[in-house]
Amino acid sequence: MRKLRWGVIGSGGIAYRRTIPEGIIPADNAELVAVCDVNEELARKSGEKFGVRFYTDEDALINDPDVECVYIATPAYLHFRQAEKVLKAKKHALVEKPITLKVEEGKKLVSTAKRNKVKLGVDFMMRFNTINQKIREMVLKGELGTIVMARAQLSCWYPPIKGAWRQIPELGGGGSFIDMGCHCMDLLEFIIGNKIKEISCMTDTIIHKYSVEDTAVALVKFASGAIGIVDSCFSIPDNSSKNILEIYGSRGSIIAMGTIGQTPDGVATAYLETTMKEYDAQQSRQIVSTSVKIEVEPYNTYRAQIESFSGSVLEDREVFNSGEDGVRNQAIVLTAYKSAKTKKSEKVPMK
């Protein structure tokens, strides 16, 4: 099988812990050939650990003739500049979220990718959780009836850390909401199959002493009329946040725990009304309900994402988590921040 040759810019952090060892290395159709980090110690460490050459200069990796595709896992403020270089070099790019801090920059990346006939994707690996995919399938088949409400939670404990770019507004673009709430927004749109059109959001820094929010909750309205809730906090102890996913419809619900996060597992139960007799004159109602645990084979989300993106390049098909998806998601995030500032509900730009 032909394997797509990958390079990684930003080889510490999530790339070192997850995407390289769980995604690129075991993927059937991918091969790691080079890594890069401005921190020479990290570059050398990852190069030696994974048995590939390492660079401290991003241009050197981008211009490496063996590199066909680049995974960009650097701080958010660097994404646009680095991804633009990769795409202009006629190489494919999978970019960590947020794809860019500014929507117009994201749109420019999409145009650059099309012009150079290369693929552009954004790292929304939680779409690849097999339980989340099964939930989406059930929703789109109408097993829950008409969706009326949904909730997605992704929170953790993230105390002040010297030099942490996620805690510096200019580098990360915000705090808990842009870092984790973006995944929740994407998952709700993905599972429900409907776009968010309006957001009312509240943010605050309640526990930690840094310049970004550590607590955020958003109320969203979907084009279908359904209502959603997203809560993403840096201020809740890890074991106290169960990363809940809840989908409610006119004929049932699905409650999941742990399917929002970095692991490929989780648990989910569907509560479905199989037969139903509406209220009669005595206001009695007969319902037959079933409770079913959703059983699917887990598959590592990082590996699934790398195999999916590599396949889109090798087979010249659409990217499952595309650059356009990343641009739309950032538009939603920025609308949420606008709402938090204006203290009013704000419309999401639909283009």
Side-chain angles (χ1 to χ4, degrees), residues 33 41 88 98 107 118 162 169 171 193 197 267 272 285 306:
V33 296
E41 182 181 348
K88 284 184 174 180
K107 290 179 178 178
V118 289
K162 186 176 181 180
L171 305 187
K197 68 174 187 178
V267 294
L272 304 176
R285 192 176 185 219
I306 293 298

Side-chain angles (χ1 to χ4, degrees), residues 99-272:
I99 191 166
T100 55
L101 293 182
K102 296 178 181 178
V103 170
E104 289 307 314
E105 290 179 342
K107 290 179 178 178
K108 188 174 180 182
L109 290 183
V110 170
S111 297
T112 302
K114 288 180 178 177
R115 186 168 59 252
N116 288 283
K117 298 181 180 179
V118 289
K119 306 292 186 183
L120 172 65
V122 64
D123 186 354
F124 284 140
M125 85 289 178
M126 294 177 203
R127 289 184 176 196
F128 294 89
N129 181 291
T130 53
I131 296 178
N132 290 337
Q133 291 186 338
K134 181 62 177 180
I135 293 171
R136 169 183 161 88
E137 178 188 316
M138 293 174 69
V139 167
L140 296 185
K141 280 184 177 179
E143 293 184 41
L144 272 65
T146 299
I147 302 303
V148 296
M149 205 272 281
R151 176 194 175 206
Q153 175 197 58
L154 181 57
S155 293
C156 70
W157 183 257
Y158 191 45
I161 301 171
K162 186 176 181 180
W165 61 267
R166 289 179 178 85
Q167 297 172 4
I168 303 171
E170 302 77 32
L171 305 187
S176 61
F177 197 80
I178 194 171
D179 189 55
M180 299 188 299
C182 67
H183 277 298
C184 295
M185 294 291 192
D186 179 70
L187 267 182
L188 289 184
E189 285 198 331
F190 172 70
I191 288 171
I192 294 175
N194 212 259
K195 292 188 181 301
I196 293 168
K197 68 174 187 178
E198 188 175 350
I199 302 178
S200 180
C201 182
M202 297 181 71
T203 66
D204 208 341
T205 309
I206 300 173
I207 301 299
H208 303 305
K209 295 186 180 189
Y210 40 59
S211 300
V212 297
E213 82 279 358
D214 65 13
T215 305
V217 177
L219 188 67
V220 305
K221 185 89 166 180
F222 293 88
S224 64
I227 295 169
I229 301 168
V230 166
D231 45 304
S232 293
C233 305
F234 283 161
S235 51
I236 299 175
D238 291 355
N239 193 46
S240 297
S241 176
K242 300 306 178 184
N243 296 339
I244 303 292
L245 173 66
E246 302 169 275
I247 311 293
Y248 297 96
S250 59
R251 297 192 65 84
S253 67
I254 297 175
I255 315 295
M257 287 195 299
T259 68
I260 304 177
Q262 295 181 349
T263 58
D265 48 13
V267 294
T269 302
Y271 303 90
L272 304 176

